[in-house]
Amino acid sequence: MSENLLEVKGLKKYYPIKKGFLNKTQGFVKAVDDISFAVRRGETFGLVGESGCGKSTTGRSLLRLIEPTAGEILFEGQDIRKLSMEELRKRRRDMQIVFQDPFSSLDPRNTVERILEEPMIVHGVGDAKERKAAVLRLAGG
Ligand SMILES: Nc1ncnc2c1ncn2[C@@H]1O[C@H](COP(=O)(O)OP(=O)(O)OP(=O)(O)O)[C@@H](O)[C@H]1O
Ligand SMILES: [Mg+2]
């Protein structure tokens, strides 16, 4: 197993700027422009910078919640950008974003029980009874 849990090489994300009636691309916002770093197994890694410098764009790219423009993202030696949707879905059991904005994490239209159970349903963890027990345990009940 590789010593690096995560390796990012030359990551770029350019958002197109579209304007006018024909919605033509006028240019690009270079939200992330050629960054490289590695996170070792067991290491806590902090990415700090002013607002708008591209931290969230980096995080979303790593999970392919948005498609990066260029670069290599190796998670446990495997290039995330080359995975099929099915392989990526399985990988996402091990990679998570905890969204800071409570409306992204805790959808007010759902109950806490539903929010806690949903990832287990998505990943096929346990049966209904086991999931219910896990939700109660997680909620400290
Ligand atoms: N969907 C988008 N379309 C176009 N531009 C975007 C999009 N999302 C982000 N940007 C731009 O990309 C740049 C980086 O944004 P990002 O949200 O990654 O910054 P951040 O470091 O997370 O900032 P903050 O500390 O405020 O959360 C900003 O200039 C932002 O306006
Ligand atoms: Mg952000």
Side-chain angles (χ1 to χ4, degrees), residues 58-74:
T58 301
R60 290 198 177 93
S61 300
L62 298 185
L63 274 81
R64 270 181 67 196
L65 297 175
I66 53 172
E67 286 299 329
T69 306
E72 217 173 54
I73 300 159
L74 303 175

Side-chain angles (χ1 to χ4, degrees), residues 15 29 31 49-57:
Y15 291 107
V29 176
E50 64 191 57
S51 179
C53 76
K55 305 178 296 292
S56 294
T57 302

Side-chain angles (χ1 to χ4, degrees), residues 13 19 38 43 53 60 80 86 94 102 106-107 112 131:
K13 177 64 189 182
K19 275 197 192 124
E43 183 182 43
C53 76
R60 290 198 177 93
I80 293 299
E86 179 56 24
D94 305 316
L106 302 167
D107 183 342
V112 170
R131 286 197 300 267

Side-chain angles (χ1 to χ4, degrees), residues 47-118:
L47 181 62
V48 182
E50 64 191 57
S51 179
C53 76
K55 305 178 296 292
S56 294
T57 302
T58 301
R60 290 198 177 93
S61 300
L62 298 185
L63 274 81
R64 270 181 67 196
L65 297 175
I66 53 172
E67 286 299 329
T69 306
E72 217 173 54
I73 300 159
L74 303 175
F75 186 78
E76 296 188 314
Q78 195 175 37
D79 193 342
I80 293 299
R81 293 192 66 203
K82 292 186 180 143
L83 298 180
S84 69
M85 264 349 227
E86 179 56 24
E87 290 168 320
L88 186 62
R89 202 178 57 78
K90 284 189 194 142
R91 264 298 179 201
R92 284 197 178 131
R93 284 182 72 155
D94 305 316
M95 319 183 294
Q96 313 268 330
I97 288 191
V98 179
F99 290 100
Q100 220 173 337
D101 158 22
F103 284 94
S104 302
S105 312
L106 302 167
D107 183 342
R109 285 168 300 189
N110 278 325
T111 62
V112 170
E113 183 181 356
R114 170 73 202 173
I115 290 168
L116 290 174
E117 191 185 8
E118 192 172 16

